[in-house]
Amino acid sequence: MPESGQTTTQGHITTTPVAAARRAGLLVTLVLGGLTALPPLSMDMYLPALPEVTESLASPAATVQLTLTACLAGMALGQLVVGPMSDRWGRRRPLLIGMIVYVAATAVCALAPSAELLIAFRLLQGLAGAAGIVIARAVVRDLYDGVEMARFFSTLMLISGVAPIIAPLIGGQILRMTDWRGVFHVLTAIGILLTLVVWRFLGETLPPERRHAGGVGEALRTMRGLLADRIFTGYMLSGGLAFAALFAYISASPFVVQEIYGASPQTFSLLFGLNSIGLVAVGQINGKLLVGRVSLDKALGLGLGVILLAAVALVLMTSGVFGEPGLVAVAAGLFVLMSAMGLALPNTNAQALMRTPHAAGSASALLGTSSFLVGAVASPLVGIAGEATAVPMAVVQLVCAVLALACFLGMCRPWRARDAA
């Protein structure tokens, strides 16, 4: 019999586009890694500039933090549109359209004269950038299954994890040479380069016979059916809430590290990069050592448990239970929390998508939307008490960690035999 991904024609084996894409291996991995790296680039390269944007546009910190919230909300809502589109028309065309709009919106962000206009175009940037996020996950589902898919997600985390390591460093260096607008000029150039790479090297991975011919009504019915699957929804919520804990750190850390503890933008960038290294390293331990030896649910449960413990420690430290902890102690707690994401995020994605081979685009859209919407809600909450305390950040992380673990245990019920997909 021919292998999966091949067809037989008059006694000869003909390779399908999916099989050819899988053989491309490293090239496809790099392209998909670039697409998944775009959101952290858009977010994290901009982080060291947040205090400067606050001063430049004469806006309060809470308003400037809405530029992060707007981009995140755009990425969430955009995935709901692009995911079903990619199930109907294939992966390539919606992806290229989204990348072109992303480049245009990012270029306008560099020219924004007010915080309100910057927020508006960050929203558009997020809406367009959603194409790369949702379609990258759907392409992985097109090409891989089971343990192989979980390993691929961990590999993607290695590549996309480089982005949050280098992005704040790049952002800090850009601020040495120019102002915050230069960050968006660099992001525009990166968007153009990635668009050209996708156009040249990423082929179609969803054959016409596997596409959905229906319109908006069918897409909504498909999503409703996915949400009716208790186990899929449990993994979706667990991953989304874990991501919200991570985004509470992303949104608050520039002010916590620079304003409360007096660190420079360059020191903040180094600490942020160190935390990202922890996330990438644990993600590789997950993919190379744990997957195939330990069940995905056990690895996921361990990750969520460690996130919860780190969040408890951060609440105790920032609230003064141990006196004045200092930057080193708080940074250590954040490092542990960030590193544990390397167990939580790839395994929630893999477990959820394994249940949805019939609608990978719609499932990917729901996974991404839940993560980004909850993250968008968490972002303004971390600044609710002003810039003088890190307690709101830690409390938001703790609440998200508790809810994530509760959804995993209560809805996925990992100790039971798995329900039929």
Side-chain angles (χ1 to χ4, degrees):
M1 290 190 56
E3 297 179 4
S4 176
Q6 295 178 332
T7 57
T8 303
T9 306
Q10 295 181 343
H12 298 284
I13 293 178
T14 303
T15 303
T16 66
V18 171
R22 291 185 66 172
R23 280 210 310 271
L26 179 61
L27 183 58
V28 171
T29 302
L30 291 174
V31 174
L32 296 180
L35 291 173
T36 56
L38 193 59
L41 282 175
S42 300
M43 294 288 181
D44 302 343
M45 192 182 296
Y46 173 66
L47 290 179
L50 281 179
E52 182 181 317
V53 176
T54 301
E55 182 178 349
S56 172
L57 299 181
S59 298
T63 300
V64 173
Q65 282 177 325
L66 287 176
T67 62
L68 293 176
T69 302
C71 187
L72 202 63
M75 289 179 180
L77 298 175
Q79 291 182 69
L80 287 177
V81 177
V82 177
M85 284 175 58
S86 75
D87 282 339
R88 182 178 183 185
W89 290 302
R91 314 300 187 202
R92 182 175 166 84
R93 189 175 11 162
L95 176 57
L96 286 171
I97 293 172
M99 292 301 300
I100 291 170
V101 176
Y102 171 88
V103 169
T106 306
V108 175
C109 285
L111 306 175
S114 67
E116 292 73 20
L117 197 60
L118 181 60
I119 290 169
F121 278 94
R122 285 284 278 175
L123 176 65
L124 180 59
Q125 183 191 43
L127 287 167
I133 311 167
V134 67
I135 291 178
R137 273 196 304 265
V139 168
V140 174
R141 188 63 189 89
D142 292 341
L143 301 179
Y144 300 99
D145 198 4
V147 169
E148 193 176 18
M149 180 169 59
R151 286 187 174 134
F152 194 91
F153 274 124
S154 291
T155 301
L156 277 188
M157 183 165 284
L158 172 63
I159 298 171
S160 62
V162 173
I165 294 172
I166 65 173
L169 298 175
I170 295 173
Q173 296 307 311
I174 291 172
L175 293 178
R176 285 180 176 270
M177 297 179 288
T178 182
D179 62 7
W180 61 271
R181 299 180 189 276
V183 173
F184 287 105
H185 289 133
V186 173
L187 283 172
T188 301
I190 292 172
I192 292 171
L193 177 61
L194 188 54
T195 302
L196 293 174
V197 169
V198 168
W199 177 77
R200 176 66 178 84
F201 295 110
L202 186 63
E204 182 58 66
T205 60
L206 187 66
E209 63 272 15
R210 290 175 51 197
R211 298 177 189 175
H212 295 189
V216 174
E218 182 180 343
L220 292 175
R221 284 191 295 273
T222 299
M223 289 186 176
R224 186 167 62 247
L226 292 172
L227 292 174
D229 179 353
R230 169 179 52 79
I231 296 175
F232 171 84
T233 302
Y235 287 124
M236 180 189 75
L237 292 175
S238 297
L241 289 161
F243 182 83
L246 181 151
F247 197 75
Y249 159 75
I250 291 175
S251 181
S253 60
F255 297 98
V256 170
V257 174
Q258 296 180 71
E259 301 297 328
I260 296 177
Y261 292 101
S264 68
Q266 289 70 39
T267 299
F268 162 74
S269 299
L270 289 172
L271 289 174
F272 195 94
L274 181 62
N275 290 340
S276 300
I277 290 172
L279 187 152
V280 170
V282 173
Q284 291 314 289
I285 291 172
N286 176 69
K288 305 299 183 184
L289 298 179
L290 299 183
V291 172
R293 295 181 176 87
V294 177
S295 75
L296 299 185
D297 278 335
K298 286 182 179 178
L300 171 56
L302 175 62
L304 293 176
V306 173
I307 291 170
L308 176 60
L309 291 175
V312 169
L314 285 166
V315 168
L316 294 176
M317 285 190 290
T318 57
S319 60
V321 172
F322 303 126
E324 284 296 328
L327 179 59
V328 173
V330 172
L334 291 171
F335 176 80
V336 173
L337 185 144
M338 281 282 285
S339 297
M341 296 291 172
L343 290 176
L345 299 183
N347 290 323
T348 51
N349 282 333
Q351 288 286 66
L353 287 173
M354 269 193 272
R355 299 183 65 82
T356 60
H358 57 290
S362 295
S364 178
L366 287 173
L367 290 171
T369 296
S370 63
S371 296
F372 283 87
L373 278 180
V374 178
V377 172
S379 175
L381 294 179
V382 300
I384 199 168
E387 304 172 34
T389 175
V391 172
M393 176 192 72
V395 169
V396 169
Q397 289 171 331
L398 178 59
V399 171
C400 290
V402 169
L403 292 176
L405 192 58
C407 288
F408 173 59
L409 296 176
M411 301 179 71
C412 302
R413 300 173 188 174
W415 59 87
R416 295 187 178 183
R418 181 62 70 229
D419 297 348

